[in-house]
């Protein structure tokens, strides 16, 4: 081979080496780019997941707080119903009627919490609503029973004997628990006889027999205190479960 041929071979070899080296550089650059891309994707995925978790935690926290506020609004009004029963029982039913939108709002907030979960918080929310509704029921029974007493007091001057007998019968029904047995086979003959006497007495003094149910099952201030204690316990349990759920997402 002459010198020209040898030079061509050497040049070709050098070119091949250059290509191979360049290929390695390109491959390394591609691998570096791929690693950088994967790292960026992982970082974006992690950031997105963190942002989603933070958003979900915020949504849940707002739902929990909204339910607590709705419960407090409802139970604060229950206190007004109770007070109205003592101050002016004739307006108690109107005050109670004003609680209906608050009860609806409370129920709506409960379902939002049930949707958001988790199950432990949802269960605590249902117990909380039940305690709030029980408090309102106690207050309403108290207020209407006070109205019934007020109506009897009004009639006492004109119908003293009839009113006294009504009071005796309702007291007996309350002590013996007869009112809850009306319409059942467990209702004793003695109670049926008193109920038969009570109906014409109530018509005579012009007071609805429906009020007598509240006299016979009248709630006391003690019942109000017990219901308030149960509500506070339910609030505490709900807050505990809510905090645990939020801490798990922090």
């Amino acid at each position: 081979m002459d010198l020209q041929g040898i030079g061509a071979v050497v040049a070709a070899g050098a070119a091949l080496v250059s290509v191979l080296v360049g290929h390695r550089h390109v491959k390394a650059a591609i691998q570096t780019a791929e690693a950088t891309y994967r790292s960026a994707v992982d970082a974006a995925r992690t950031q997105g997941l963190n942002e989603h978790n933070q958003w979900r935690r915020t949504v849940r926290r707002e739902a929990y707080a909204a339910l607590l506020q709705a419960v407090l609004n409802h139970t604060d009004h229950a206190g007004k119903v109770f007070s109205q029963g003592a101050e002016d029982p004739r307006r108690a039913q109107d005050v109670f009627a004003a609680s209906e939108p608050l009860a609806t709002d409370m129920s709506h907030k409960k379902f939002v919490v049930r949707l958001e979960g988790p199950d432990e918080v949802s269960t605590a929310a249902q117990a909380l609503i039940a305690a709030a509704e029980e408090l309102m029921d106690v207050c309403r029974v108290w207020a209407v029973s006070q109205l019934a007493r007020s109506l009897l007091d009004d009639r006492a001057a004109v119908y003293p004997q009839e009113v006294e007998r009504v009071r005796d019968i309702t007291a007996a029904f309350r002590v013996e628990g007869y009112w809850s047995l009306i319409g059942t086979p467990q209702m004793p003959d003695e109670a049926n006889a008193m109920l038969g006497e009570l109906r014409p007495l109530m018509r005579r003094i012009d007071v609805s027999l429906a009020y007598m149910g509240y006299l016979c099952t009248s709630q006391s201030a003690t019942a109000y205190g017990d219901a308030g204690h149960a509500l506070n316990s339910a609030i505490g349990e709900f807050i505990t479960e809510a905090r645990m759920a939020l801490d798990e997402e922090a």
Side-chain angles (χ1 to χ4, degrees):
M1 182 180 294
D2 57 17
L3 291 175
Q4 186 177 1
I6 292 172
V9 171
V10 171
L16 178 59
V17 170
S18 178
V19 170
L20 291 174
V21 171
H23 177 71
R24 290 193 186 97
H25 287 166
V26 171
K27 184 177 181 181
I30 291 174
Q31 290 174 339
T32 300
E34 289 177 345
T36 301
Y37 172 76
R38 285 195 297 270
S39 178
V41 169
D42 289 343
R45 183 181 294 112
T46 299
Q47 181 180 356
L49 183 60
N50 289 339
E51 290 177 352
H52 174 76
N53 288 341
Q54 186 61 35
W55 167 81
R56 184 165 182 79
R57 185 177 186 274
T58 299
V59 170
R60 281 183 165 178
R61 185 177 185 278
E62 291 176 350
Y64 301 161
L67 175 60
L68 276 174
Q69 186 59 59
V71 168
L72 291 177
N73 291 342
H74 187 261
T75 53
D76 282 349
H77 196 82
K80 294 179 182 178
V81 173
F82 187 87
S83 298
Q84 198 64 49
E87 296 169 5
D88 185 2
R90 286 173 175 77
R91 289 194 61 246
Q93 287 288 59
D94 294 336
V95 177
F96 175 76
S99 71
E100 293 178 2
L102 298 175
T104 299
D105 182 60
M106 186 174 64
S107 179
H108 171 73
K109 298 297 193 304
K110 176 191 71 174
F111 282 111
V112 173
V113 170
R114 291 185 65 185
L115 286 171
E116 289 298 329
D119 290 344
E120 293 79 5
V121 178
S122 176
T123 299
Q126 293 183 73
L128 175 58
I129 297 299
E133 291 174 340
E134 175 63 21
L135 178 65
M136 178 63 81
D137 188 56
V138 167
C139 292
R140 181 171 181 268
V141 170
W142 157 262
V144 180
S145 69
Q146 293 303 105
L147 173 58
R149 286 189 174 88
S150 179
L151 293 174
L152 286 181
D153 290 342
D154 290 346
R155 305 301 192 270
V158 180
Y159 304 101
Q161 294 181 346
E162 290 85 347
V163 168
E164 187 62 28
R165 182 56 181 160
V166 167
R167 286 173 173 159
D168 289 343
I169 292 174
T170 54
F173 266 69
R174 183 168 59 252
V175 171
E176 299 297 336
Y178 290 152
W179 196 261
S180 62
L181 300 178
I182 293 176
T184 70
Q186 289 74 36
M187 184 74 164
D189 293 339
E190 174 187 338
N192 275 319
M194 287 192 292
L195 187 60
E197 181 184 355
L198 185 60
R199 289 191 177 98
L201 282 173
M202 298 305 293
R203 285 195 296 268
R204 178 169 174 76
I205 65 176
D206 193 26
V207 175
S208 172
L209 185 64
Y211 286 123
M212 294 305 99
Y214 293 97
L215 280 177
C216 296
T217 59
S218 176
Q219 301 285 4
S220 65
T222 300
Y224 177 74
D226 291 343
H229 178 72
L231 174 67
N232 289 335
S233 296
I235 289 175
E237 182 64 24
F238 177 78
I239 290 176
T240 297
E241 293 296 342
R243 281 177 175 167
M244 290 175 62
L246 293 174
D247 287 345
E248 290 177 358
E249 295 181 349

